[in-house]
Amino acid sequence: MTGTENSSQIVSLIRTFKMLNRFNRTRSDARQSRILYFDMLTEYYTQIKNAHDAGKMIASHPVFFPAEILYAMDIVPMHTEMTTWMDALFLKEQGELLAKGAELGLAPEICSPHRGVAGMFALQKVPRPDIILWSNLICDNTAKFGELVMQITGSPGYFLDNPFQNSPAEMSYLVGELKDMIHFLEQNTGRKMDYTKLSDIVVRMDHEIELYREISDLRKAVPCPMSIDGYLELLGADYMFPGQPASAKYLTLLRDELKIQVESGRGVISPERFRLMTLFIPPLYLINHLADIYAGLGTVSVVEPMFTRWSEGRLDPSKPLESIALKSFLLPERRSMYGLFGQTAINDITESAEQFKVDGAVYWAFLGCRHTCATIKIIKETLNDVDVPMLTIDCDLVDPTVNSKEDTQSKFQQFIELLEDR
Amino acid sequence: MKTIGIDAGSLNIKVVVLDDNKITGYSIVPAGDDGTASAKQALENALVLQGDACKTVATGIGVKLLTFVPQQKSITTCLARGVRFLFPSVKLSIDMGAESTTVIKLNDKGRLADWANHDKCASGTGLFLQQMAKLMAMPIAEMSHLSLKAQSRPEITSTCAVFAESEVISYVHRMPPTPMPDIAAGIYYSVVSRVMSLCKRVGIEKDIAVTGGVALNTGLVTILEKEIGTKVMVPEVPQIVAALGAAIIAGENAQKGITQ
């Protein structure tokens, strides 16, 4: 493929990120880490846009996929769900992608980011990936939709099988899977795995996980120094730039900014009236509006145990593949969303409530993610046992027809009244 | 101290006047096309009886229209206050209005502890019951009494008002037709099954109250009692509970010096 191919969505995203940063740079109160984050996104999508002209291969991959392997092989990664998220967040063109997904026969009950990904490839909104990678981490939709993308794009693909449990046998199995995937990539791209580069990536990834833990600790401060829109940046930094110099720089800068705020006793909301736990992910198209709602009600999201609390463990650059496998077991999402929802996940919820001095919790019940919604009752009862009320809002991550701003605001208002009244 | 609560519902505007913790007047006026005018009319009706202006709090789905009332509270908070005032022992209250059903749970202090509501489909609401009565060509009160004579009940979908309607039509017109009392009971069971799922979401705990206009429907309340396994408390005028709660909050706000 050459520069003649259609990449209208990518071009629009790049233009939007540049425009946002032009605006951010004129504001004295803009967070420098946010400016850096948008620069990173600009660079990420510029790499995708120019990949084929530069003679590079593009590999598309889903959430929770070890993109470190791709970076080490100098293959350009394209995070599929994040790209539909970005579309919902910044371009508001998700309706077109979802409509195309529906045309392909994907029912509304199926995860909307995945429906959007199918629509995005079918409409050729992004450059055609040369390789399709996918895995069963984190759900059945993730496990199956790669085959559909292969059919739409005609590109070869590889399915990475992730075991449920963390045992030596399963760790060794996952390392074997990674080796097989590398072999597949080498055969299909002509690129060789650079293990020295992979070790360097592991060094940075290990550092980044430590930075995530520090950032999480800083958010325990009262008042809390970070707002809910920072949550999505934390996700994007790992999902799109794992072990990359840019993400290490971003997380270091964010950590330092938060540290200064904590030391000076400045919160992101003043006065801070209520500290909330966020469960799952709020609708992306509402995120800016949500930040306003939170600010207006003196409310701040302080912890997201399902997404931003990494498990204990360190990566070892002398064993890069084993470290990449281990990282997939340290992922915050894995405890509550993959395999058993066990005592560790429950403890994580109660410990977070206590350590972050949470007043209430909001569960964004994404209708397309049925396996996580199955845990709502357990989580609610767990939180109620430690005297933390939980609001459940049925929603969709990218489809704006499920919740209106007004509906969300009204539910929030009711919940805040409940907290005030206790 | 005299206070007023206004509940701007989708079908009716309700106003309650509270004087030293006693309901001294109330008014229920159809919302009509102009909710603001209807609210002013309801307020006027109540004030004609009372004679002077006082602290007011507004609530309900149409609360945004009541721009002349500076203090507003959500329906769940108001329901909790109203129910506690009428029935201090209540832990769970089911409010069945024209367009939505809300289940609230109260803590030991009578404050709102949790809630769940259906607001996406007309199935299980007062308007749904009105529509069903129209299909069966009888007033809603008659449908209610008829349901008490049911010998059995057909299954009617509880997830979609439109599908439920076509099912009821098929029961009415099949040969031999399904007895009307059974169809009426089937309709009420369909509504009650939705309500029960909401109750289970917040946890069923006695004592239980039922409020809102649908609470006047004895046939439905009887079936609800069977399903929930206990008698429920129904206020004399179940439509005005949220307005009553708003009037109580108006008093609390006045005591705290809150004006906005």
Side-chain angles (χ1 to χ4, degrees):
Chain A
M1 285 267 177
T2 69
T4 56
E5 69 190 351
N6 194 339
S7 48
S8 57
Q9 189 179 344
I10 302 292
V11 172
S12 300
L13 282 173
I14 293 169
R15 195 184 307 128
T16 304
F17 299 140
K18 283 182 175 173
M19 194 178 71
L20 282 169
N21 258 356
R22 270 203 298 276
F23 174 66
N24 282 333
R25 287 191 168 97
T26 63
R27 288 176 49 181
S28 57
D29 62 338
R31 187 159 42 82
Q32 291 305 305
S33 55
R34 168 157 298 172
I35 292 172
L36 177 57
Y37 180 70
F38 282 127
D39 281 343
M40 287 159 62
L41 293 178
T42 306
E43 179 59 21
Y44 183 88
Y45 284 106
T46 303
Q47 287 285 334
I48 293 173
K49 178 176 163 286
N50 297 338
H52 288 150
D53 284 344
K56 290 190 175 182
M57 296 275 206
I58 300 173
S60 72
H61 67 88
V63 281
F64 317 118
F65 197 88
E68 292 91 340
I69 301 282
L70 302 175
Y71 280 114
M73 295 180 74
D74 202 21
I75 298 168
V76 177
M78 184 200 291
H79 195 301
T80 46
E81 287 94 329
M82 280 306 279
T83 305
T84 19
W85 284 23
M86 294 292 166
D87 190 276
L89 254 170
F90 299 109
L91 303 183
K92 316 284 184 201
E93 289 174 352
Q94 65 271 44
E96 190 189 1
L97 307 187
L98 294 175
K100 189 64 189 176
E103 225 177 88
L104 294 166
L106 300 174
E109 292 79 18
I110 295 171
C111 167
S112 51
H114 286 144
R115 283 186 279 137
V117 168
M120 178 175 82
F121 284 122
L123 289 166
Q124 299 179 355
K125 290 274 188 182
V126 292
R128 176 179 168 269
D130 304 286
I131 303 283
I132 311 296
L133 302 171
W134 79 104
S135 83
N136 45 348
L137 185 70
I138 199 106
C139 64
D140 288 349
N141 272 330
T142 325
K144 298 310 292 176
F145 99 114
E147 290 165 48
L148 177 64
V149 175
M150 275 176 69
Q151 191 188 57
I152 293 168
T153 59
S155 302
Y158 184 88
F159 173 80
L160 180 75
D161 188 27
N162 265 280
F164 279 121
Q165 305 295 333
N166 183 1
S167 69
E170 281 162 313
M171 184 70 81
S172 153
Y173 173 77
L174 182 53
V175 170
E177 278 287 292
L178 289 171
K179 284 179 182 166
D180 286 351
M181 184 178 80
I182 290 165
H183 179 67
F184 168 84
L185 288 169
E186 287 179 338
Q187 282 200 319
N188 282 275
T189 65
R191 308 284 316 168
K192 278 283 172 206
M193 167 53 86
D194 182 340
Y195 281 97
T196 308
K197 198 170 173 183
L198 186 61
S199 290
D200 292 343
I201 288 171
V202 168
V203 170
R204 279 194 297 270
M205 193 61 239
D206 182 63
H207 178 51
E208 283 169 23
I209 294 173
E210 285 300 299
L211 286 166
Y212 274 111
R213 291 182 181 128
E214 284 184 57
I215 288 166
S216 180
D217 281 345
L218 286 163
R219 294 174 71 200
K220 288 176 184 167
V222 182
C224 179
M226 199 179 97
S227 84
I228 189 150
D229 42 4
Y231 168 29
L232 296 184
E233 290 177 24
L234 289 177
L235 300 188
D238 178 55
Y239 293 176
M240 301 166 90
F241 313 95
Q244 294 308 291
S247 50
K249 192 176 166 190
Y250 162 79
L251 291 168
T252 305
L253 183 56
L254 177 63
R255 189 266 321 263
D256 293 346
E257 287 168 342
L258 299 184
K259 209 171 180 178
I260 290 168
Q261 273 186 261
V262 170
E263 282 167 2
S264 62
R266 270 187 301 125
V268 72
I269 303 285
S270 179
E272 179 181 286
R273 295 174 65 223
F274 297 110
R275 297 168 64 82
L276 299 185
M277 173 186 289
T278 299
L279 296 152
F280 211 78
I281 301 172
L284 299 160
Y285 55 91
L286 284 182
I287 204 79
N288 291 329
H289 182 63
L290 206 56
D292 292 340
I293 295 177
Y294 271 66
L297 296 169
T299 304
V300 63
S301 174
V302 293
V303 62
E304 307 80 19
M306 294 167 89
F307 281 84
T308 54
R309 299 244 299 162
W310 288 74
S311 296
E312 288 303 317
R314 297 298 299 257
L315 309 185
D316 178 358
S318 69
K319 296 177 183 166
L321 279 187
E322 287 77 1
S323 290
I324 298 297
L326 175 63
K327 184 201 159 186
S328 86
F329 288 100
L330 302 182
L331 286 171
E333 295 85 350
R334 190 168 183 122
R335 286 192 302 277
S336 55
M337 293 165 62
Y338 194 60
L340 286 173
F341 184 82
Q343 195 58 44
T344 315
I346 290 172
N347 291 346
D348 197 31
I349 302 276
T350 50
E351 282 166 19
S352 295
E354 188 192 346
Q355 291 173 7
F356 289 79
K357 300 180 182 69
V358 160
D359 298 299
V362 181
Y363 196 115
W364 297 95
F366 171 30
L367 302 173
C369 194
R370 281 172 280 184
H371 75 296
T372 48
C373 284
T375 63
I376 289 174
K377 189 169 170 56
I378 300 172
I379 293 177
K380 183 170 183 169
E381 286 171 359
T382 300
L383 284 167
N384 286 351
D385 285 346
V386 292
D387 200 27
V388 173
M390 185 178 102
L391 166 69
T392 307
I393 301 185
D394 293 338
C395 67
D396 190 282
L397 275 186
V398 301
D399 184 350
T401 60
V402 176
N403 298 72
S404 66
K405 284 180 191 173
E406 292 71 25
D407 184 36
T408 307
Q409 183 153 11
S410 155
K411 285 185 172 135
F412 245 93
Q413 185 68 47
Q414 288 182 58
F415 189 58
I416 295 303
E417 282 182 18
L418 182 153
L419 295 177
E420 284 169 342
D421 229 14
R422 277 159 61 81
Chain B
M1 178 175 50
K2 200 175 281 182
T3 59
I4 289 181
I6 309 177
D7 172 15
S10 50
L11 269 192
N12 293 304
I13 311 271
K14 287 82 73 176
V15 168
V16 167
V17 181
L18 201 61
D19 193 353
D20 285 336
N21 276 339
K22 285 197 183 81
I23 301 172
T24 55
Y26 72 87
S27 160
I28 303 173
V29 169
D33 294 335
D34 186 346
T36 309
S38 304
K40 284 182 176 166
Q41 182 62 56
L43 203 52
E44 207 171 284
N45 291 355
L47 286 171
V48 165
L49 300 173
Q50 304 307 318
D52 59 355
C54 19
K55 299 285 179 195
T56 306
V57 164
T59 188
I61 198 162
V63 74
K64 293 272 187 296
L65 295 170
L66 309 184
T67 48
F68 60 91
V69 184
Q71 293 189 21
Q72 302 183 341
K73 274 280 175 186
S74 68
I75 192 87
T76 42
T77 308
C78 293
L79 283 169
R81 289 290 201 288
V83 168
R84 175 74 168 191
F85 179 90
L86 295 170
F87 306 119
S89 63
V90 161
K91 290 285 174 60
L92 184 81
S93 184
I94 303 159
D95 184 72
M96 302 176 73
E99 280 191 349
S100 69
T101 300
T102 304
V103 174
I104 59 166
K105 191 162 193 180
L106 285 79
N107 64 18
D108 292 339
K109 292 188 284 183
R111 299 298 168 98
L112 182 67
D114 198 1
W115 86 91
N117 62 339
H118 276 152
D119 53 8
K120 291 273 192 269
C121 178
S123 178
T125 66
L127 284 172
F128 170 74
L129 289 176
Q130 274 191 0
Q131 188 64 19
M132 293 300 113
K134 203 184 280 182
L135 272 182
M136 293 174 69
M138 62 179 70
I140 199 158
E142 191 183 329
M143 190 168 88
S144 172
H145 293 306
L146 210 56
S147 72
L148 300 171
K149 297 175 191 161
Q151 297 298 312
S152 78
R153 60 180 170 94
E155 283 297 330
I156 293 170
T157 183
S158 63
T159 54
C160 174
V162 177
F163 290 164
E165 189 173 315
S166 59
E167 283 175 40
V168 168
I169 291 170
S170 79
Y171 284 121
V172 170
H173 294 291
R174 72 177 46 178
M175 291 305 284
T178 308
M180 292 299 236
D182 292 2
I183 299 176
I187 291 167
Y188 289 147
Y189 269 104
S190 130
V191 171
V192 166
S193 74
R194 274 178 84 90
V195 173
M196 286 302 292
S197 78
L198 289 179
C199 292
K200 286 172 187 167
R201 269 172 85 163
V202 299
I204 296 171
E205 201 176 341
K206 290 200 282 187
D207 289 339
I208 300 167
V210 181
T211 66
V214 177
L216 293 167
N217 196 312
T218 48
L220 184 137
V221 171
T222 304
I223 288 171
L224 178 63
E225 285 179 331
K226 267 188 212 159
E227 289 297 295
I228 214 161
T230 185
K231 283 273 175 200
V232 299
M233 299 171 178
V234 179
E236 200 177 324
V237 190
Q239 306 99 305
I240 62 167
V241 177
L244 169 63
I248 294 166
I249 291 167
E252 291 172 1
N253 287 354
Q255 281 177 353
K256 290 180 202 160
I258 299 170
T259 54
Q260 285 291 317

